[in-house]
Amino acid sequence: MRIGELAARSGLTAHTLRYYERIGLLPYADRNRSSHRDYDASILTWIAFLDRLKTTGMPIREMVRYAALRNDGPATQAERREMLERHRARVRAHVAELQDCLLVLDTKIAGYAGTDERMQAHDTGPSGRRQPAGTRTPGAR
Amino acid sequence: MRIGELAARSGLTAHTLRYYERIGLLPYADRNRSSHRDYDASILTWIAFLDRLKTTGMPIREMVRYAALRNDGPATQAERREMLERHRARVRAHVAELQDCLLVLDTKIAGYAGTDERMQAHDTGPSGRRQPAGTRTPGAR
DNA sequence: GCTTGACTTCGAGCGCGCTCGAACCCCTAG
DNA sequence: CTAGGGGTTCGAGCGCGCTCGAAGTCAAGC
């Protein structure tokens, strides 16, 4: 597989794939006689994993470190495992934080909903309330 | 409150606070006779909310847009609400994606754990396993 | 034989979100 | 009167993760 096809199948651009090779995220690819990169399909698995690390916010230099360890063979497994465990802990913490923020967003949005109701009530006159007033969360901004 | 104290209480630097004012994230602060910014404590609530938006990955230019709408008064409430709803949807999707990634990480880490056991079994000989294999939770989060 | 298009290397540039330093001002305490 | 510490504006710089363009090579199809 050449770089164009890998780009299509991985969702990265050819530019990015070359960049990743340059910085050591992807192993140096074999070249054919025209010095075009010739990829094995198995690289897709690795790229997919890198994508997971990226999505979860691992900095590139850390991914590079992981890639280097992987390259160094089985002796580095313990260290790789520790890296992933540390990373997992960070991601879990981040998810918890996001869920916290989601609650805040919910409250805020509920506050706007309450305002809508009051405006609607105003528009349609004192007797025109469509929703009971109690729907609004009192502490909402 | 002057900028130094606000910095201390908000966790941002004075440099960042000035930057935020410059780009419109924070309202233009009143200056005292020495042209030092003089903040009201209520600004802390707004900064805390901005922090939530930032944590959840809202781009600054969008926060600036939100801040501008807020500044324009009640007429913009519907639009602000929509912004927050769209943002909430993105955050929820992102959380789901992260949870997906966590499963992958779990699997990967479990794989390394399996290797550890095999290595330990090898180190200590066929009869020397320290932990029953069943201790390992295969699908653990 | 020529065009086309996918590739190569190389180095510069970009968008984001700050971060920092220079040069200056003002207030207070010793 | 002076030193120090906090503030001011302004514009440049930085780290990250790409992104892009220039200039050249090569193989296939007309």
Side-chain angles (χ1 to χ4, degrees):
Chain A
M1 182 181 3
R2 290 190 303 173
I3 202 169
E5 190 184 344
L6 182 58
R9 291 174 64 177
S10 67
L12 301 172
T13 69
H15 272 304
T16 301
L17 288 169
R18 285 188 213 103
Y19 165 68
Y20 278 3
E21 178 181 304
R22 214 154 72 213
I23 65 175
L25 257 194
L26 295 181
Y28 184 85
D30 292 341
R31 315 299 159 115
N32 66 17
R33 46 234 167 293
S34 321
S35 61
H36 291 184
R37 290 169 180 79
D38 186 10
Y39 291 101
D40 187 291
S42 66
I43 195 79
L44 281 164
T45 312
W46 174 238
I47 293 177
F49 184 61
L50 289 178
D51 263 353
R52 300 291 192 161
L53 295 181
K54 183 167 79 182
T55 296
T56 50
M58 183 182 281
I60 277 204
R61 63 191 172 290
E62 215 165 307
M63 291 195 251
V64 168
R65 168 102 182 110
Y66 184 87
L69 288 174
R70 181 169 177 270
N71 216 313
D72 287 351
T76 65
Q77 284 185 355
E79 190 171 350
R80 279 182 271 159
R81 179 189 173 174
E82 280 161 28
M83 280 189 73
L84 293 190
E85 283 176 346
R86 273 193 299 272
H87 182 58
R88 178 174 60 180
R90 289 196 308 251
V91 176
R92 282 179 178 161
H94 186 50
V95 166
E97 195 178 27
L98 290 181
Q99 276 162 344
D100 230 67
C101 292
L102 277 174
L103 294 180
V104 173
L105 276 178
D106 287 340
T107 305
K108 191 93 179 176
I109 289 168
Y112 282 125
T115 306
D116 285 357
E117 277 164 33
R118 281 194 304 283
M119 287 177 68
Q120 207 161 51
H122 180 259
D123 287 353
T124 50
S127 59
R129 271 210 251 121
R130 264 101 175 213
Q131 305 250 342
T135 317
R136 197 167 72 85
T137 329
R141 297 192 73 233
Chain B
M1 182 183 4
R2 289 191 303 174
I3 202 169
E5 191 185 343
L6 181 59
R9 291 174 65 177
S10 67
L12 300 172
T13 68
H15 272 304
T16 300
L17 289 169
R18 286 188 213 102
Y19 165 67
Y20 279 2
E21 178 181 305
R22 215 155 69 212
I23 64 175
L25 257 194
L26 295 181
Y28 184 84
D30 293 341
R31 318 298 199 208
N32 65 17
R33 47 238 167 289
S34 323
S35 63
H36 291 185
R37 289 169 180 80
D38 187 11
Y39 292 100
D40 186 289
S42 66
I43 194 77
L44 281 164
T45 312
W46 173 238
I47 292 178
F49 183 61
L50 289 178
D51 262 352
R52 300 291 192 162
L53 295 181
K54 183 166 80 180
T55 296
T56 50
M58 183 182 280
I60 278 203
R61 62 188 172 291
E62 216 165 308
M63 291 194 250
V64 168
R65 168 101 183 110
Y66 184 87
L69 289 174
R70 182 168 175 271
N71 218 314
D72 287 351
T76 66
Q77 283 184 356
E79 189 170 351
R80 278 182 272 158
R81 180 191 172 172
E82 281 161 28
M83 281 190 72
L84 293 190
E85 282 176 346
R86 273 194 298 273
H87 181 58
R88 179 174 59 180
R90 288 197 307 251
V91 177
R92 281 180 178 159
H94 185 50
V95 166
E97 194 178 31
L98 289 181
Q99 275 162 343
D100 229 68
C101 291
L102 278 174
L103 294 181
V104 173
L105 275 178
D106 287 339
T107 305
K108 192 89 179 180
I109 288 168
Y112 282 124
T115 307
D116 285 0
E117 275 165 31
R118 282 194 300 282
M119 287 176 68
Q120 207 164 52
H122 180 260
D123 287 353
T124 52
S127 59
R129 274 210 248 116
R130 265 101 174 214
Q131 307 249 343
T135 315
R136 198 162 68 82
T137 337
R141 298 190 73 230

